[in-house]
Amino acid sequence: MTERYLDDFAVGQRFHSGRLRIDTEQIKAFAAAFDPQPFHLDDKAARDTLFHGLAASGWHTAAAAMRLLVTGGLPFASGIVGLGGEIVWPKPTRPGDTLHVESEIVEITPSRSKPHQGIVTVRGTMFNQNQEAVYVLTAKLLVSRRTNGK
Amino acid sequence: MTERYLDDFAVGQRFHSGRLRIDTEQIKAFAAAFDPQPFHLDDKAARDTLFHGLAASGWHTAAAAMRLLVTGGLPFASGIVGLGGEIVWPKPTRPGDTLHVESEIVEITPSRSKPHQGIVTVRGTMFNQNQEAVYVLTAKLLVSRRTNGK
């Protein structure tokens, strides 16, 4: 996939990532490091919580989505650099889920003050193997403009 | 710190987390797993990017904030479970930064349909050792209500 600059995008363009499987050990390791709560750490303890079973930390879900975007899901020549965004976790990520991200360009705003860059707003939805959305991120990304010679 | 239920919170209440130091090895390890881009992986390559030096992945920053909230930063008796929120990264997290989160309760909404729970909106700002904000998360959290006997 060709890497693209701001000038190469159009509102409505869509991109698809590869797939990534999340297993129990990864869920527990991420939680131990960053989100040590019973429903992310222990299968048995998780049963009596509102998750009704082990679930990945929402930040593990977010990090998995970033991995899918960076490794081919979003072909930004200057890298994927977020200024901020809105996130929703409609459902938890479960052990054994296989995830992929579908992204859509929703807005393109060249910078007025910095001619070499702009902001591209992308809505990425991560689905599990049952086509259930587990994560939606609408992010403002800093993107370089194509310059002479590129 | 006493753990609290929805009924124990009031708009305007503030909470402070402990502190967490992020080092170069942690930044590179997180990036290798979830956000393998040059400005998060390699000091030298990072110099010529818009970060002008190694910076933590924004998702590493987000995960570090969650760790600070879960380990004493936000005393929710039923755990910290987010439905979604808005995030901003005003500045990058750098190697050697020592971070802490200051949180404020901004809205409390008991559920109409589920009498045992509600949504608490919390704005958490994570600062580095220079009191510069590196992360602001305004999140809707699912919180249990105090029941008889608790």
Side-chain angles (χ1 to χ4, degrees), chain A:
Chain A
M1 186 151 45
T2 311
E3 298 233 306
R4 297 168 191 234
Y5 293 87
L6 184 122
D7 315 77
D8 305 320
F9 289 102
V11 170
Q13 278 178 331
R14 289 168 173 275
F15 301 94
H16 288 70
S17 79
R19 286 171 195 272
L20 182 66
R21 186 174 182 277
I22 303 287
D23 66 26
T24 301
E25 290 317 305
Q26 291 165 338
I27 287 173
K28 292 180 182 177
F30 189 99
F34 296 112
D35 191 351
Q37 301 193 85
F39 34 74
H40 302 319
L41 283 171
D42 185 274
D43 311 66
K44 204 167 174 183
R47 281 182 218 154
D48 295 327
T49 68
L50 59 85
F51 286 105
H52 304 297
L54 195 74
S57 168
W59 302 108
H60 190 182
T61 295
M66 189 63 178
R67 180 171 184 92
L68 286 167
L69 293 175
V70 167
T71 57
L74 210 52
F76 284 17
S78 50
I80 302 177
V81 178
L83 300 172
E86 287 182 32
I87 51 182
V88 187
W89 294 280
K91 286 182 77 82
T93 298
R94 301 290 188 178
D97 276 0
T98 297
L99 306 169
H100 74 282
V101 180
E102 300 181 12
S103 299
E104 181 176 355
I105 307 295
V106 295
E107 195 174 353
I108 299 170
T109 311
S111 171
R112 290 183 191 178
S113 57
K114 298 181 178 174
H116 60 289
Q117 65 187 38
I119 291 171
V120 175
T121 304
V122 180
R123 184 175 54 244
T125 305
M126 187 158 72
F127 296 94
N128 63 21
Q129 64 283 354
N130 302 317
Q131 283 297 309
E132 296 166 322
V134 296
Y135 180 64
V136 185
L137 168 67
T138 306
K140 291 187 184 301
L141 304 173
L142 199 59
V143 179
S144 292
R145 305 203 64 166
R146 186 175 287 279
T147 55
N148 291 338
K150 281 183 180 168

Side-chain angles (χ1 to χ4, degrees), chain B residues 70-113:
Chain B
V70 167
T71 57
L74 211 52
F76 285 15
S78 49
I80 302 177
V81 178
L83 301 172
E86 287 182 33
I87 51 183
V88 187
W89 294 279
K91 287 184 75 83
T93 298
R94 301 291 188 177
D97 276 0
T98 296
L99 307 169
H100 73 281
V101 181
E102 300 180 11
S103 299
E104 181 177 355
I105 307 293
V106 294
E107 194 175 352
I108 299 170
T109 311
S111 171
R112 290 183 192 178
S113 58

